[in-house]
Amino acid sequence: MERPAWAPQGIDITVPSVSRIYDYYLGGSHNFEVDREAARRAMAHLPGLPKIMQANRAFMRRAVRYAVSEGVTQFLDIGSGIPTFGSVHEVARALAPEARVLYVDHDPVAVAHSEAVLEGDPLAGVVAADLRKPAEILRAPAFRALIDTERPVALLLVAVLHFIEDSEDPAAAVAELLDALAPGSVLILTHAAYEHIPSRQDASGVVGVYRDIRKPLVMRTAEEIAGFFAGTELVDPGLVPMAEWRPEQGPGEEAEPYANSGYAGVGRKA
């Protein structure tokens, strides 16, 4: 397999990556054939996967705008993936040009592309780190340079927690991050779930594809997902299907059956 010029040296381009599969769903070009093959296998079970990812991104943009409207202008986006049109810094700065954004991902392609996009931007940065090790994120020089923990921060965990198994204690990681942030900070979260997906059997096939590539996809219930918001108060309308969180859709979006797949919510730290 030929290595593209943009691919960082040292990464195994024969192993699928969750970030690059997500990039493929969104129509991006920073993915390899092994990623595309895994995505096509998943889409054979659930053809609406690209629609789910689009709904996920649309929620993220609405939630970022909400955070800015509440006076939050610092953003910590963990599991940020490969930058695409309408990324957090673009959405936030449309309303608050002074907004600071730190992206965090452990995929080398996501980190390298983020560095290229953000080059020369003094108010944004990227850290190569993993949500499973929150202390490494909080100790990173870029975090200390960009994020003032004495002021509210928007912590984004968008489509990332469902790739962390219960044995890895994702709730503890979220709690450690929130504990480091000032009162008034917000947690912006989406998570995969069987509820509201048009076909549970098809969704189970997708779970099997991710298991086969050794990237387990953990489908949690609404009650389990709500547990990640411990220490915050959910803002209206609470934990709901993605497209139902403060929708701004036109006539066609509401009818899209896959747009409500998974859950989304925003919690505010007291």
Side-chain angles (χ1 to χ4, degrees):
M1 184 184 300
E2 184 177 351
R3 179 182 295 271
W6 50 262
Q9 292 299 317
I11 68 168
D12 188 346
I13 65 174
T14 68
V15 177
S17 153
V18 167
S19 294
R20 299 192 306 264
I21 292 171
Y22 187 87
D23 178 67
Y24 177 77
Y25 290 145
L26 291 173
S29 59
H30 285 75
N31 48 75
F32 307 135
E33 179 54 33
V34 68
D35 306 307
R36 296 188 285 272
E37 194 276 334
R40 288 191 290 265
R41 285 176 54 207
M43 290 167 61
H45 292 284
L46 203 64
L49 276 167
K51 293 294 185 182
I52 294 173
M53 305 312 164
Q54 290 166 19
N56 187 74
R57 295 283 295 180
F59 159 77
M60 178 275 288
R61 292 191 289 269
R62 297 194 303 274
V64 167
R65 289 194 288 267
Y66 163 78
V68 174
S69 75
E70 293 293 307
V72 179
T73 57
Q74 301 185 104
F75 297 83
L76 176 60
D77 185 359
I78 302 179
S80 52
I82 297 167
T84 59
F85 176 75
S87 291
V88 173
H89 68 285
E90 296 174 326
V91 178
R93 289 180 185 168
L95 298 174
E98 74 281 12
R100 295 172 175 261
V101 181
L102 182 64
Y103 294 107
V104 179
D105 207 288
H106 63 81
D107 182 284
V109 171
V111 172
H113 194 46
S114 297
E115 288 174 338
V117 168
L118 300 173
E119 185 176 6
D121 187 336
L123 300 182
V126 59
V127 171
D130 194 312
L131 173 58
R132 297 170 183 85
K133 299 177 180 180
E136 292 185 5
I137 298 171
L138 297 171
R139 289 198 302 262
F143 178 88
R144 296 197 299 268
L146 282 171
I147 303 297
D148 178 1
T149 56
E150 298 299 313
R151 296 172 45 236
V153 177
L155 170 62
L156 288 92
L157 300 174
V158 176
V160 63
L161 284 165
H162 48 234
F163 291 113
I164 302 181
E165 297 181 274
D166 290 339
S167 61
E168 298 171 299
D169 204 355
V174 177
E176 184 172 345
L177 289 163
L178 281 173
D179 188 57
L181 304 181
S185 293
V186 294
L187 172 60
I188 296 171
L189 184 155
T190 65
H191 197 295
Y194 283 119
E195 292 95 332
H196 310 293
I197 292 181
S199 170
R200 182 183 178 116
Q201 182 178 354
D202 292 342
S204 296
V206 174
V207 171
V209 170
Y210 280 89
R211 182 177 59 246
D212 290 345
I213 64 172
R214 300 183 180 181
K215 309 289 184 184
L217 175 60
V218 183
M219 306 292 262
R220 294 186 171 96
T221 65
E223 183 178 3
E224 290 170 328
I225 297 166
F228 291 120
F229 288 94
T232 74
E233 181 179 351
L234 281 165
V235 303
D236 289 337
L239 185 66
V240 294
M242 289 190 293
E244 294 182 9
W245 197 91
R246 305 195 177 198
E248 301 169 350
Q249 76 270 4
E253 186 179 335
E254 189 174 4
E256 169 50 55
Y258 288 98
N260 273 326
S261 301
Y263 284 100
V266 175
R268 187 155 197 140
K269 180 179 176 179

